[in-house]
Amino acid sequence: DTGVSQNPRHKITKRGQNVTFRCDPISEHNRLYWYRQTLGQGPEFLTYFQNEAQLEKSRLLSDRFSAERPKGSFSTLEIQRTEQGDSAMYLCASSLQTSTPYEQYFGPGTRLTVT
Amino acid sequence: GDSVTQMEGPVTLSEEAFLTINCTYTATGYPSLFWYVQYPGEGLQLLLKATKADDKGSNKGFEATYRKETTSFHLEKGSVQVSDSAVYFCALGGSNYKLTFGKGTLLTVNP
């Protein structure tokens, strides 16, 4: 296992369409996180899972966004009725449930462009 | 809430120059502190970390010391190389497992 993987790497969609991204964490990591990064800014936390349970959601995660991790392995992030303001890099990270849970390993990201 | 403020860039240096990127934070409790690096076209990579006051994190010639009294975690390197050109992010890990990032500092090192 070489790290966190994300698919697709790039997605261009028209406003109003739905999109879904996938994240495969490092295999033994039981925590999984989603972040959003816009141009010139640092990543902003969206949500996180411990195993299959979604334990926290940011206020940034409007009701058009939904994330799942059905079997505690891979996760999906869906955006419904996309808006131009959703254009960003969506990052996934994973970590082990240890005494340093913040040592998160990031995937390469999915860049979303909404036209 | 938790927040991180880091030196705005861009920073341009010549090879072998000394680097400092300032980072200060606001947090409740006893956060962990991190520097992440993002090379062109790549994902975020953990560069170094410190989990308690007075800890020094170090990696690849970079160092940062967790200063509770000044709420700072400044990144330093004694002699930068062209290959260090990247965006550097200071981050804080608070009580709820999420990371709070600064805005990032773009470093360009010229030969």
Side-chain angles (χ1 to χ4, degrees), chain B residues 23-80:
Chain B
C23 171
T24 57
Y25 68 90
T26 302
T28 53
Y30 304 97
S32 295
L33 300 173
F34 303 84
W35 278 98
Y36 279 82
V37 58
Q38 191 170 34
Y39 296 104
E42 298 185 15
L44 281 165
Q45 298 176 24
L46 178 63
L47 179 60
L48 53 84
K49 64 179 181 182
T51 57
K52 61 183 187 297
D54 299 325
D55 269 2
K56 178 185 281 188
S58 62
N59 186 26
K60 299 181 181 179
F62 291 89
E63 292 183 340
T65 301
Y66 188 162
R67 301 285 188 203
K68 191 165 183 282
E69 63 276 14
T70 54
T71 62
S72 65
F73 193 56
H74 305 321
L75 182 68
E76 296 182 336
K77 186 175 185 182
S79 176
V80 294

Side-chain angles (χ1 to χ4, degrees), chain A residues 35 37 42 48 102-104, chain B residues 34 36 49 89 94 97 99 102:
Chain A
Y35 292 82
Q37 185 179 16
Y48 103 91
Y102 318 108
E103 191 168 336
Q104 297 174 16
Chain B
F34 303 84
Y36 279 82
K49 64 179 181 182
F89 293 93
Y97 308 129
L99 287 169

